[in-house]
Amino acid sequence: MAQPYETAAIEAKWRARWEAADLGQVDLDAANEVFVNLAEFPYPSAEGLHVGHVFKYSGVDVLGRYRRMRGLEVFQPIGFDAFGIHTENYALRVGEHPKALTARTTERFGEQMARLGIGWDWSRSIDTSDPRYYRWTQWLLVRLFEAGLMYRQEAPVLWCPSCLTVLAREQTESGGSRCERCDTAVVEKVMTQWFLRITAYAERLVEGLEELDWPERAKRLQRQWIGRSEGTEIDFGQLVVFTTRPDTLPAVTFIAVPAGHSSAGSTVPHPLSGVELPVCEADYVIDSYGTGAVMGVPAHDERDRRFAESVGLTISEAPLLNAEQAARVGRRAVRYRLRDWLISRQRYWGPPIPIVHCERCGPVAVPDDQLPVALPDVDDFRPKGTGVSPLATAQDWVATACPDCSRPALRETDVSDTFVDSAWYFLRYPSTDFDDRPWDPDRTAKVLPVDFYAGGPEHVQRHHLYARFITMALHDLGHIPFEEPFSRIRLGGLIVRDGAKMSKSRGNVVTPDDYLDTVGGDVLRGALLFSAPWEQGGEFTDSGVAGIERFLARSWRTITGPDTGHASAAHQAATIVAVSNAIERLSFNVAIARLMEFLPAATTPEAKRVFVRLLAPFAPHLAEELWELLGENHSVHTQPWPEVDSSALERTTVEIVIQVDGRRRGNVSVDLGDSEDKVVEAARRSECGAPAGSETSRVVYVQDRLINFVTH
Ligand code: ANZ
Ligand code: ZN
């Protein structure tokens, strides 16, 4: 069997065979239990995949292939988040129509993913810019409008003078001052815009986190973003303030309001002393937080002190109220930092918001049987900067009849935010074969929610939050049976090069093509996964690529070589356990290291069959070829995962010490090598007083030894 390992030929051969056999496809109706293994779908807003994508998708694919071999029906769909500002800005830059661009780039992305051997179910792919998809995005908005969860309001909004559109606060950086897409300083404008009432769900969005299997970091980020605050509302005459320090009331010497507030310049009475206090304009008061007015306590609050000193206001050292007195000065109130979600975009490349404006009836939703409201073709799709979308230039399209009274009326010309498209896309995947409904109720109940979601930390405060809100709203409106979309989330780390994030300006960008053409898909995915634990991210180096290249070549030689050795049952069992555990905790680098270490022992027919199956999730093409050369039936990817001979196993569990703020509270027994998340869970289950997520500020985990919950 001494044949050369011809990577390119082998990979092309299996790609074609898998495609013909629809290997990625799962019959959702016939399946018993479906495991939804989901990765965030890409914006096709570049010429091809980034190695960061390759790292993320390869990890998801390893997990999916592994679970399939463990006997689960794994549904692993992919699509394209093609509508929206990301794609449109790229189209503007390269001077191509976004529709033509999307057609080209989605094709490219698909090709690259196939060359990486990523086993998506392409039969259920979606493209958010396809009318067959956005018809249902519009349907969703109509449902929200009917339920009072979508409304139109004049409000100060953030406008990007470069992207020429308003942005959600979530799409700005540096505390709402810069556009996240182009880094231009944003300006405030007062405009009439569409909003989704996410604030109605603020409480549930906080509470629901408790039950989810998400990294603590993701929960913390969402909690911070929602910004729940318990405080007191106190009346100062006609003005109401929100404070978390009612005990400081005696020391209040002024009231601060935002510039332009109607009470600025007047005075209001102190509720205890009756003394008239000045109402001052201060730029640190946020109009939309709390009650929009702050009681100024310069003796106890740093910002108030600086302000009082700068404008010469009195500072009072009056004694604080005790707890009992403080409870009587106002009303308990809960306030949130979260604002309603601004979804209007004065752009071209998105779903037209499905509303008609009638002089007599006001804004009227487009009836379901007239959806989709197709995006009109316009000659010039560039944003105009006039505050209206380029859709307004399509006059024949704008002029329509009111769905209610049939009089002449005008279409809404704004399109909706791209985050609306992605807030529900996972609901569509299982039901792409239905054109008369957004999702089929039975299919949905059987397949969803998503079992595993591979995300990016940059999406926690937006996409993940929006998807949770939309899921809760759809649940309440009776459209789906669950309230949380993603039972388990893990956040992928960043791949860097030369110690730095890849960027054009640094000149350290590597493209997957450079490697796909030379070393092939198996080596590229292996090299990325070997660089670091998936959740941590790591460094992409050419020596890493060379290392995996050597390992796969050695695998080829050993497996196609003579049966000589004598394998140890204990070694084999320990390898199977270690590789399985490492995959479960997404430490693919550790799994590959165990395979490297086991390879020299894979010299008996039995050990070779074990090795090739363990290798299959990582190097799908090579493993398939080796499986065939071993005389086995197609396909290695549908084989059962190797069984562990438990009598051959040595120690695999360890006792972990549980601490709270450094004090020992007990012990818990876990599997050797368990992840932090698993140990956190086990510690909480053990009832030794490990605090809940909301009470934990930080967790310190020393692998296989100790876990410390920090609560302050
Ligand atoms: C008096 C006071 C005294 C306050 C003191 C703090 C310390 P969190 O915890 O984030 O909810 N505040 C209330 N509304 C505000 C607004 N619209 N813009 C800016 N600041 C606002 O913060 C609540 C505290 O932030 C409130 O409690 C209020 O200042 C301020 F020694 O009231 B405090
Ligand atoms: Zn009308």
Side-chain angles (χ1 to χ4, degrees):
M1 283 212 289
Q3 309 168 28
Y5 171 28
E6 293 185 9
T7 323
I10 290 172
E11 294 192 354
K13 164 183 162 186
W14 290 110
R15 220 160 36 237
R17 291 273 279 274
W18 293 332
E19 229 165 85
D22 282 334
L23 210 64
Q25 219 169 304
V26 24
D27 182 341
L28 298 176
D29 294 322
N32 265 331
E33 204 192 326
V34 179
F35 184 88
V36 182
N37 196 42
L38 192 66
E40 285 170 351
F41 62 160
Y43 306 117
S45 57
E47 290 308 319
L49 292 174
H50 185 272
V51 288
H53 288 121
V54 180
F55 177 64
K56 282 190 190 163
Y57 295 152
S58 300
V60 170
D61 191 50
V62 168
L63 189 69
R65 288 180 187 276
Y66 162 76
R67 291 226 188 287
R68 171 145 36 123
M69 293 175 80
R70 296 294 298 249
L72 289 174
E73 299 280 357
V74 177
F75 179 42
Q76 195 169 286
I78 191 74
F80 296 99
D81 198 1
F83 249 161
I85 201 163
H86 307 81
T87 306
E88 193 184 301
N89 280 1
Y90 184 66
L92 288 164
R93 202 158 72 234
V94 300
E96 190 173 2
H97 193 282
K99 199 170 188 167
L101 175 93
T102 297
R104 185 162 55 79
T105 55
T106 53
E107 174 95 25
R108 272 290 284 131
F109 275 52
E111 239 174 63
Q112 289 178 313
M113 294 195 272
R115 292 186 68 187
L116 286 156
I118 298 178
W120 304 123
D121 184 345
W122 284 105
S123 72
R124 295 188 181 278
S125 187
I126 57 184
D127 167 348
T128 56
S129 69
D130 183 333
R132 284 170 303 178
Y133 181 87
Y134 71 73
R135 168 184 183 181
W136 303 116
T137 306
Q138 293 171 333
W139 176 95
L140 165 71
L141 291 178
V142 171
R143 299 289 85 75
L144 297 175
F145 178 68
E146 288 168 348
L149 291 170
M150 172 168 127
Y151 66 93
R152 195 162 174 258
Q153 196 171 61
E154 186 175 270
V157 295
L158 301 173
W159 169 269
C160 172
S162 164
C163 293
L164 299 174
T165 182
V166 302
L167 301 170
R169 194 168 62 108
E170 289 84 340
Q171 284 158 341
T172 59
E173 277 164 5
S174 315
S177 64
R178 299 200 160 267
C179 172
E180 67 149 5
R181 295 304 306 163
C182 69
D183 204 39
T184 305
V186 299
V187 296
E188 204 173 279
K189 273 196 179 191
V190 174
M191 291 172 69
T192 302
Q193 302 283 298
W194 288 99
F195 292 85
L196 299 186
R197 210 179 291 283
I198 189 173
T199 53
Y201 284 82
E203 181 83 51
R204 272 165 72 188
L205 288 166
V206 175
E207 276 175 4
L209 285 173
E210 210 56 51
E211 294 303 308
L212 297 175
D213 178 4
W214 286 24
E216 285 300 329
R217 175 166 70 122
K219 293 187 181 184
R220 193 171 56 241
L221 282 170
Q222 270 205 5
R223 263 189 220 108
Q224 274 169 6
W225 188 259
I226 299 165
R228 184 179 196 277
S229 176
E230 281 181 23
T232 304
E233 279 176 10
I234 302 177
D235 298 327
F236 286 75
Q238 87 274 12
L239 267 186
V240 184
V241 303
F242 175 69
T243 178
T244 45
R245 292 287 310 275
D247 60 317
T248 63
L249 180 61
V252 173
T253 58
F254 65 95
I255 300 294
V257 292
H261 191 283
S262 59
S263 301
S266 63
T267 62
V268 292
H270 190 290
L272 298 181
S273 66
V275 171
E276 289 292 322
L277 305 173
V279 179
C280 311
E281 296 181 331
D283 60 8
Y284 63 84
V285 182
I286 303 162
D287 186 36
S288 57
Y289 182 64
T291 60
V294 176
M295 62 184 208
V297 198
H300 298 283
D301 183 88
E302 198 32 52
R303 281 188 313 186
D304 293 347
R305 177 191 295 274
R306 262 182 277 129
F307 179 72
E309 281 170 354
S310 71
V311 300
L313 288 159
T314 329
I315 297 176
S316 156
E317 300 283 352
L320 301 181
L321 300 178
N322 65 33
E324 197 189 314
Q325 294 166 323
R328 285 201 302 258
V329 298
R331 304 170 292 279
R332 304 287 297 149
V334 176
R335 294 289 180 158
Y336 297 90
R337 298 252 160 212
L338 186 68
R339 301 275 68 92
D340 276 342
W341 175 11
L342 167 55
I343 60 154
S344 298
R345 295 292 178 275
Q346 291 72 44
R347 297 288 294 238
Y348 174 69
W349 191 236
I353 293 175
I355 295 286
V356 169
H357 298 281
C358 169
E359 259 183 33
R360 206 157 90 167
C361 312
V364 178
V366 175
D368 288 355
D369 61 9
Q370 291 171 34
L371 298 179
V373 177
L375 180 64
D377 287 320
V378 301
D379 292 336
D380 183 3
F381 67 88
R382 277 176 305 176
K384 299 290 176 284
T386 50
V388 289
S389 143
L391 299 194
T393 62
Q395 286 164 13
D396 291 350
W397 176 86
V398 174
T400 183
C402 169
D404 278 0
C405 72
S406 309
R407 289 166 183 249
L410 300 174
R411 287 191 190 281
E412 169 65 53
T413 56
D414 284 352
V415 299
S416 53
D417 181 10
T418 175
F419 280 100
V420 179
D421 305 330
S422 56
W424 74 277
Y425 79 111
F426 51 91
L427 295 169
R428 183 66 185 155
Y429 279 134
S431 297
T432 47
D433 46 332
F434 294 95
D435 267 329
D436 60 343
R437 62 199 91 170
W439 51 82
D440 181 66
D442 295 335
R443 233 356 127 57
T444 304
K446 177 172 181 179
V447 175
L448 293 169
V450 172
D451 297 284
F452 177 83
Y453 197 27
E458 71 280 16
H459 284 141
V460 172
Q461 289 165 334
R462 294 176 288 175
H463 165 51
H464 300 165
L465 186 66
Y466 293 147
R468 293 184 63 219
F469 156 54
I470 293 297
T471 303
M472 287 179 186
L474 286 169
H475 167 268
D476 292 356
L477 297 174
H479 294 291
I480 48 175
F482 45 85
E483 290 185 53
E484 289 286 350
F486 313 128
S487 313
R488 183 167 184 240
I489 282 189
R490 291 294 178 268
L491 306 176
L494 194 67
I495 289 292
V496 298
R497 182 140 175 108
D498 313 319
K501 191 174 169 174
M502 287 181 213
S503 72
K504 289 213 177 79
S505 55
R506 274 200 199 87
N508 64 347
V509 179
V510 282
T511 76
D513 297 284
D514 301 339
Y515 296 88
L516 287 173
D517 291 339
T518 52
V519 294
D522 283 347
V523 169
L524 180 57
R525 55 191 272 160
L528 283 161
L529 293 177
F530 192 51
S531 69
W534 188 85
E535 289 177 273
Q536 194 178 300
E539 173 98 27
F540 182 72
T541 61
D542 288 323
S543 60
V545 171
I548 292 294
E549 217 183 345
R550 279 194 304 275
F551 166 58
L552 295 189
R554 211 177 323 121
S555 302
W556 172 271
R557 285 196 304 273
T558 306
I559 303 302
T560 60
D563 294 337
T564 50
H566 163 85
S568 129
H571 189 194
Q572 181 170 302
T575 303
I576 296 170
V577 170
V579 171
S580 309
N581 286 348
I583 293 176
E584 296 272 3
R585 58 174 203 271
L586 313 182
S587 293
F588 305 118
N589 57 330
V590 172
I592 295 172
R594 294 302 296 249
L595 286 170
M596 290 173 165
E597 182 264 336
F598 181 61
L599 178 62
T603 50
T604 65
E606 151 79 357
K608 284 180 178 180
R609 278 164 181 74
V610 168
F611 177 84
V612 171
R613 278 178 290 159
L614 296 180
L615 180 70
F618 299 93
H621 308 90
L622 172 60
E624 192 78 293
E625 181 74 11
L626 291 173
W627 193 245
E628 189 182 63
L629 290 173
L630 289 174
E632 296 288 343
N633 289 334
H634 187 68
S635 152
V636 70
H637 300 293
T638 54
Q639 299 304 313
W641 191 248
E643 296 279 347
V644 181
D645 172 3
S646 47
S647 65
L649 269 185
E650 285 146 30
R651 191 185 80 121
T652 57
T653 59
V654 279
E655 284 290 304
I656 304 260
V657 174
I658 304 172
Q659 295 183 340
V660 178
D661 297 324
R663 288 233 187 88
R664 183 182 180 133
R665 290 290 181 85
N667 274 17
V668 66
S669 149
V670 301
D671 286 344
L672 193 63
D674 262 352
S675 66
E676 172 172 326
D677 288 322
K678 273 209 165 155
V679 176
V680 165
E681 212 178 281
R684 289 202 175 122
R685 264 202 317 265
S686 75
E687 291 176 0
C688 66
S694 52
E695 291 148 18
T696 307
S697 64
R698 204 156 50 88
V699 171
V700 181
Y701 177 47
V702 183
Q703 180 90 45
D704 300 330
R705 291 182 51 197
L706 174 150
I707 186 135
N708 181 19
F709 293 86
V710 182
T711 64
H712 44 75

